[in-house]
Amino acid sequence: DQQVKQNSPSLSVQEGRISILNCDYTNSMFDYFLWYKKYPAEGPTFLISISSIKDKNEDGRFTVFLNKSAKHLSLHIVPSQPGDSAVYFCAARINNAGNMLTFGGGTRLMVKP
Amino acid sequence: DADVTQTPRNRITKTGKRIMLECSQTKGHDRMYWYRQDPGLGLRLIYYSFDVKDINKGEISDGYSVSRQAQAKFSLSLESAIPNQTALYFCATSESGTGNEKLFFGSGTQLSVL
């Protein structure tokens, strides 16, 4: 069973509006969470991360929120731009487990001009 | 030039054939990984290596083997390819350290097994 789930395979948003991508996890041992962004024909690239000791991390237009009690994290993109159109993967890691990440299935974001 | 280079970019092969996917990196990282991506399943770890003499199985290692020929090179082999190994394969690297290091991915190899 997948320990990290992204229940929305796709999301369509108008340029300038907010994009909210969601991710749920089941393993309470996860202590570090990351978002990766993937364009077609390219490998995933790191976007933003958050440690379990925080509930929010912000980097420019991107903010990740973590709700540990709900085992839920979300990525907010404000304002959304057409160049943000990509597949977004959330990933989680257990401390002291090397750097092995468990990935969600991905959400394809389409930002319409 | 790409920091993490995978060859080939695309490969079509037949059931039962042996194939090798290659990965080289110029980032100077000790840690290297092989993942496969399937639609809806995200990326799943096949094998990883923390240095030249270290090889570890990941979540889905059956049917695969790896070789860490040097710090910069990590190859993935399918000894006898089968159709359900059709997937997008990614090599990745990371630094050694506290464990919060980011993964850096290659551009991927699309493998089709007929």
Side-chain angles (χ1 to χ4, degrees), chain A residues 36 41 43-44 46 93 99-100 104, chain B residues 9 42 45 99-103 106:
Chain A
Y36 279 81
F46 170 77
R93 194 216 64 190
N99 203 24
M100 274 66 70
Chain B
R9 291 296 307 272
L45 183 64
N100 288 348
E101 299 76 19
K102 300 188 289 287
L103 292 176

Side-chain angles (χ1 to χ4, degrees), chain A residues 2 31-32 34 36 38 41-46 51 87 89 93 95-106, chain B residues 9 31 33 35 37-38 40-43 45 48 50 88 90 94-95 98-108:
Chain A
Q2 285 187 283
D31 71 335
Y32 191 67
L34 307 91
Y36 279 81
K38 183 186 177 304
E42 295 182 10
T45 55
F46 170 77
S51 167
V87 177
F89 293 99
R93 194 216 64 190
N95 194 19
N96 296 326
N99 203 24
M100 274 66 70
L101 299 180
T102 300
F103 285 83
Chain B
R9 291 296 307 272
R31 299 182 177 189
Y33 311 78
Y35 283 87
Q37 180 191 351
D38 298 277
L41 295 179
L43 288 84
L45 183 64
Y48 62 99
F50 283 177
L88 183 55
F90 288 105
S94 70
E95 293 179 344
T98 61
N100 288 348
E101 299 76 19
K102 300 188 289 287
L103 292 176
F104 294 86
F105 287 86
S107 297

Side-chain angles (χ1 to χ4, degrees), chain A residues 19-93:
Chain A
S19 296
I20 300 177
L21 294 89
N22 293 303
C23 180
D24 297 295
Y25 61 95
T26 57
N27 191 337
S28 57
M29 298 294 289
F30 289 140
D31 71 335
Y32 191 67
F33 303 88
L34 307 91
W35 285 93
Y36 279 81
K37 176 179 179 179
K38 183 186 177 304
Y39 292 118
E42 295 182 10
T45 55
F46 170 77
L47 185 58
I48 192 169
S49 62
I50 187 168
S51 167
S52 59
I53 63 173
K54 296 185 176 181
D55 55 17
K56 175 182 175 182
N57 189 28
E58 190 171 354
D59 183 2
R61 296 186 297 113
F62 302 91
T63 303
V64 57
F65 295 93
L66 175 63
N67 182 334
K68 285 193 297 182
S69 61
K71 294 189 176 68
H72 177 84
L73 66 155
S74 60
L75 174 68
H76 293 211
I77 306 173
V78 183
S80 301
Q81 299 173 354
D84 296 328
S85 298
V87 177
Y88 290 78
F89 293 99
C90 69
R93 194 216 64 190

Side-chain angles (χ1 to χ4, degrees), chain B residues 72-92:
Chain B
K73 295 184 182 295
F74 192 37
S75 60
L76 175 72
S77 294
L78 287 70
E79 296 300 325
S80 179
I82 56 177
N84 76 1
Q85 291 178 313
T86 293
L88 183 55
Y89 290 83
F90 288 105
C91 174

Side-chain angles (χ1 to χ4, degrees), chain B residues 15-34:
Chain B
T15 297
K17 293 291 187 181
R18 181 182 188 277
I19 65 162
M20 180 182 290
L21 309 182
E22 310 223 22
C23 177
S24 62
Q25 53 116 344
T26 58
K27 300 190 75 67
H29 291 168
D30 288 327
R31 299 182 177 189
M32 299 188 74
Y33 311 78
W34 275 104

